[in-house]
Amino acid sequence: MKEEYILSPFYRLKRISEKVNLIDIISGKKFMIGDPYISSFLVENRSKMMSINFLNEQINEDNTSFLIKKKIIIKEEEVKEGAFKTIEYNDRLFNLPAYTNEAKVVLMGIPFGDGNYIDDQTKLFPSSLRKLSKKNNLDFKTCDFNAVGITKTTDLHHLDHLFKNNMVADGGDIFAHKHETAFQIYEKITFFTEKIIARQQIPFYIGGDHSITYAVLRGIGVVSANPFSVIHFDAHTDIYTSEYDPILNMNQGHHHGNFVKKALQLPKLEKYHQFGIRGISNLRPKRHDKLEITYAATIKENLEKIKKLDKNKNYYITLDIDVLDPFIAPATATPEPNGLLIEELYKLFYHLLSEINIIGIDLVEVNPKKDIGDITQSLAIQLLIKLLTYIKTEKHES
Ligand SMILES: [Mn+2]
């Protein structure tokens, strides 16, 4: 039997004199190989295909099986499997526990911004949020959420219940290498969504640009037994056309400004509710049977008149930070004036989300590079906490 191995592309290999330092870029685990012979063997053969016989001959059977067991050397077909992992962190977001099958809500970063060809810097948001969480020593188990405007006793109890019982977990960031194509990243997002939803868990994705949402909805469409609807908070409808569309369409592609067009075609998707739409980019009317648009002005002036949502249905929530006014949330790719204020958005949340069943959430389009003293990002953390108050803790039917 001819078994062939390659050095795992997920290991960074660094030679330090006689030793070699191996860093698993997905799990973050480190190995130091002290044996100078194996060290030089790994360095010299880093891009070679090695048969098991050759390995055993060169570095003996025990060392070969160690390298296989630690997945330092892998079979070629295992490369794809490795790419479909999340990067785990020791410093987890808000000191939340690591992912387990028992978690109810799974936070997951999607460091991908290439769906926006003008500004790809939203890819930095997951790592930036991790830094901010660490810098402020945030531990959701011990936080006083009154400080971020959670004042209702029931909400405070609910958050306490979620965090003290380890119901919210940090699933890490999706592994996204800069040499991977957008299609590969979307495939991964769909893969993780299918897994999480099938386990009756609620994904809470931290984007990334808005194009990631289509990959999520596609995944929900695959595994969800029931139809579902979307609640989309945004200044933009994201059903725009551009001169690049014919190129993208050749490969069934999409981007952050047109993903809703593709989402509307998903057979399981029932209704698509948009809130906060405004500005000159929306002067041209948009119509679709599944689409319901509520303009920012209506939310500001006539919130009570906004139709309540059917509480017997399942909803996915996608929140583009630009639904808020750029004055209070400046760090976004496509700011649009006259947006919602925090209080207006919170009132809208209360109006819409109090009684419905939420099956997933994402928070997208935050560009940390454009932030001013972290204000947009700290606001994003507050929005994340606020949204968690609307998550039901009993198991949902998917
Ligand atoms: Mn937008």
Short mmCIF file of all heavy atoms in Angstrom, two decimals, residues 132 321 324-331 342 366 368 370-382:
data_model
loop_
_atom_site.label_atom_id
_atom_site.label_comp_id
_atom_site.label_asym_id
_atom_site.label_seq_id
_atom_site.Cartn_x
_atom_site.Cartn_y
_atom_site.Cartn_z
N LEU A 132 -10.17 44.41 21.30
CA LEU A 132 -10.92 45.36 22.12
C LEU A 132 -11.47 44.67 23.37
O LEU A 132 -11.46 45.24 24.47
CB LEU A 132 -12.07 45.93 21.28
CG LEU A 132 -12.71 47.22 21.76
CD1 LEU A 132 -11.71 48.36 21.76
CD2 LEU A 132 -13.90 47.57 20.86
N ILE A 321 -24.11 47.69 10.18
CA ILE A 321 -23.89 48.80 11.12
C ILE A 321 -24.31 50.14 10.52
O ILE A 321 -24.66 51.07 11.25
CB ILE A 321 -22.41 48.81 11.61
CG1 ILE A 321 -22.22 49.64 12.88
CG2 ILE A 321 -21.47 49.32 10.52
CD1 ILE A 321 -22.59 48.95 14.15
N LEU A 324 -27.34 52.57 11.38
CA LEU A 324 -27.21 53.68 12.32
C LEU A 324 -26.65 54.91 11.59
O LEU A 324 -26.00 54.78 10.55
CB LEU A 324 -26.26 53.31 13.47
CG LEU A 324 -26.83 52.30 14.47
CD1 LEU A 324 -25.72 51.76 15.35
CD2 LEU A 324 -27.94 52.90 15.32
N ASP A 325 -26.88 56.04 12.14
CA ASP A 325 -26.37 57.26 11.53
C ASP A 325 -24.84 57.26 11.56
O ASP A 325 -24.24 56.89 12.57
CB ASP A 325 -26.89 58.47 12.32
CG ASP A 325 -26.68 59.74 11.53
OD1 ASP A 325 -27.56 60.08 10.72
OD2 ASP A 325 -25.59 60.36 11.67
N PRO A 326 -24.19 57.66 10.45
CA PRO A 326 -22.71 57.66 10.43
C PRO A 326 -22.09 58.58 11.47
O PRO A 326 -20.93 58.42 11.82
CB PRO A 326 -22.37 58.11 9.00
CG PRO A 326 -23.63 58.58 8.40
CD PRO A 326 -24.78 58.02 9.17
N PHE A 327 -22.87 59.50 11.97
CA PHE A 327 -22.38 60.38 13.02
C PHE A 327 -22.06 59.58 14.29
O PHE A 327 -21.09 59.86 14.98
CB PHE A 327 -23.45 61.44 13.31
CG PHE A 327 -23.03 62.48 14.29
CD1 PHE A 327 -22.02 63.39 13.97
CD2 PHE A 327 -23.63 62.57 15.55
CE1 PHE A 327 -21.63 64.37 14.88
CE2 PHE A 327 -23.24 63.54 16.45
CZ PHE A 327 -22.24 64.44 16.12
N ILE A 328 -22.86 58.54 14.55
CA ILE A 328 -22.61 57.74 15.75
C ILE A 328 -21.88 56.43 15.43
O ILE A 328 -21.29 55.83 16.30
CB ILE A 328 -23.91 57.44 16.54
CG1 ILE A 328 -25.03 56.93 15.64
CG2 ILE A 328 -24.34 58.66 17.31
CD1 ILE A 328 -26.25 56.46 16.38
N ALA A 329 -21.94 55.98 14.17
CA ALA A 329 -21.23 54.76 13.77
C ALA A 329 -20.47 55.02 12.48
O ALA A 329 -20.86 54.58 11.40
CB ALA A 329 -22.21 53.60 13.60
N PRO A 330 -19.36 55.78 12.58
CA PRO A 330 -18.67 56.22 11.36
C PRO A 330 -17.87 55.13 10.64
O PRO A 330 -17.60 55.25 9.46
CB PRO A 330 -17.73 57.31 11.87
CG PRO A 330 -17.48 56.97 13.31
CD PRO A 330 -18.74 56.32 13.80
N ALA A 331 -17.50 54.06 11.36
CA ALA A 331 -16.55 53.09 10.80
C ALA A 331 -17.24 52.07 9.90
O ALA A 331 -17.36 50.90 10.23
CB ALA A 331 -15.80 52.38 11.92
N ILE A 342 -29.36 55.38 18.26
CA ILE A 342 -29.37 54.13 19.04
C ILE A 342 -30.75 53.86 19.64
O ILE A 342 -31.26 52.75 19.57
CB ILE A 342 -28.34 54.21 20.18
CG1 ILE A 342 -27.07 54.83 19.68
CG2 ILE A 342 -28.16 52.83 20.86
CD1 ILE A 342 -25.84 54.12 19.76
N VAL A 366 -18.54 46.51 9.61
CA VAL A 366 -17.76 47.40 10.47
C VAL A 366 -16.32 47.39 9.98
O VAL A 366 -15.71 46.34 9.86
CB VAL A 366 -17.80 46.94 11.95
CG1 VAL A 366 -16.97 47.87 12.83
CG2 VAL A 366 -19.23 46.85 12.46
N PRO A 368 -12.84 48.58 11.09
CA PRO A 368 -12.11 49.15 12.23
C PRO A 368 -11.12 50.23 11.82
O PRO A 368 -10.82 51.12 12.61
CB PRO A 368 -11.37 47.96 12.83
CG PRO A 368 -11.87 46.75 12.15
CD PRO A 368 -12.56 47.15 10.90
N LYS A 370 -11.58 52.62 9.88
CA LYS A 370 -12.22 53.93 9.78
C LYS A 370 -12.76 54.41 11.12
O LYS A 370 -13.41 55.45 11.20
CB LYS A 370 -13.38 53.86 8.78
CG LYS A 370 -12.95 53.86 7.32
CD LYS A 370 -14.15 53.65 6.43
CE LYS A 370 -14.57 54.88 5.67
NZ LYS A 370 -15.73 54.63 4.80
N ASP A 371 -12.52 53.62 12.17
CA ASP A 371 -13.13 53.97 13.44
C ASP A 371 -12.41 55.16 14.10
O ASP A 371 -11.24 55.42 13.84
CB ASP A 371 -13.12 52.77 14.40
CG ASP A 371 -14.36 52.75 15.29
OD1 ASP A 371 -15.16 53.71 15.20
OD2 ASP A 371 -14.54 51.78 16.06
N ILE A 372 -13.16 55.86 14.92
CA ILE A 372 -12.62 57.02 15.63
C ILE A 372 -12.67 56.66 17.11
O ILE A 372 -13.74 56.57 17.70
CB ILE A 372 -13.47 58.28 15.35
CG1 ILE A 372 -13.53 58.56 13.83
CG2 ILE A 372 -12.94 59.48 16.12
CD1 ILE A 372 -14.65 59.48 13.40
N GLY A 373 -11.48 56.38 17.67
CA GLY A 373 -11.43 56.03 19.09
C GLY A 373 -12.32 54.85 19.45
O GLY A 373 -12.92 54.83 20.52
N ASP A 374 -12.43 53.89 18.55
CA ASP A 374 -13.20 52.65 18.77
C ASP A 374 -14.70 52.85 19.00
O ASP A 374 -15.37 51.93 19.48
CB ASP A 374 -12.64 51.85 19.97
CG ASP A 374 -11.20 51.40 19.77
OD1 ASP A 374 -10.79 51.27 18.60
OD2 ASP A 374 -10.51 51.19 20.78
N ILE A 375 -15.25 54.02 18.69
CA ILE A 375 -16.65 54.23 19.07
C ILE A 375 -17.61 53.29 18.34
O ILE A 375 -18.54 52.77 18.93
CB ILE A 375 -17.13 55.71 18.92
CG1 ILE A 375 -16.96 56.22 17.50
CG2 ILE A 375 -16.46 56.61 19.93
CD1 ILE A 375 -17.67 57.56 17.26
N THR A 376 -17.35 53.04 17.04
CA THR A 376 -18.26 52.17 16.30
C THR A 376 -18.16 50.74 16.84
O THR A 376 -19.17 50.05 16.97
CB THR A 376 -17.90 52.18 14.80
OG1 THR A 376 -17.72 53.52 14.39
CG2 THR A 376 -18.98 51.52 13.97
N GLN A 377 -16.93 50.36 17.15
CA GLN A 377 -16.73 48.98 17.61
C GLN A 377 -17.31 48.77 19.01
O GLN A 377 -17.85 47.70 19.30
CB GLN A 377 -15.25 48.64 17.58
CG GLN A 377 -14.71 48.69 16.16
CD GLN A 377 -13.24 48.39 16.12
OE1 GLN A 377 -12.84 47.24 16.10
NE2 GLN A 377 -12.43 49.44 16.14
N SER A 378 -17.18 49.78 19.88
CA SER A 378 -17.78 49.57 21.20
C SER A 378 -19.30 49.58 21.09
O SER A 378 -19.99 48.87 21.82
CB SER A 378 -17.25 50.56 22.24
OG SER A 378 -17.50 51.86 21.83
N LEU A 379 -19.79 50.33 20.13
CA LEU A 379 -21.22 50.31 19.86
C LEU A 379 -21.66 48.93 19.34
O LEU A 379 -22.71 48.41 19.72
CB LEU A 379 -21.54 51.39 18.82
CG LEU A 379 -22.99 51.76 18.60
CD1 LEU A 379 -23.63 52.17 19.91
CD2 LEU A 379 -23.09 52.91 17.60
N ALA A 380 -20.81 48.35 18.51
CA ALA A 380 -21.11 47.01 17.98
C ALA A 380 -21.22 45.99 19.12
O ALA A 380 -22.09 45.12 19.10
CB ALA A 380 -20.03 46.59 16.98
N ILE A 381 -20.35 46.12 20.12
CA ILE A 381 -20.43 45.21 21.28
C ILE A 381 -21.76 45.42 22.01
O ILE A 381 -22.43 44.46 22.41
CB ILE A 381 -19.24 45.44 22.24
CG1 ILE A 381 -17.92 45.07 21.54
CG2 ILE A 381 -19.41 44.63 23.54
CD1 ILE A 381 -16.66 45.34 22.35
N GLN A 382 -22.17 46.68 22.12
CA GLN A 382 -23.45 46.96 22.79
C GLN A 382 -24.62 46.38 22.02
O GLN A 382 -25.58 45.86 22.60
CB GLN A 382 -23.61 48.47 22.98
CG GLN A 382 -22.50 49.06 23.83
CD GLN A 382 -22.72 50.52 24.16
OE1 GLN A 382 -23.83 50.97 24.37
NE2 GLN A 382 -21.63 51.28 24.24
#
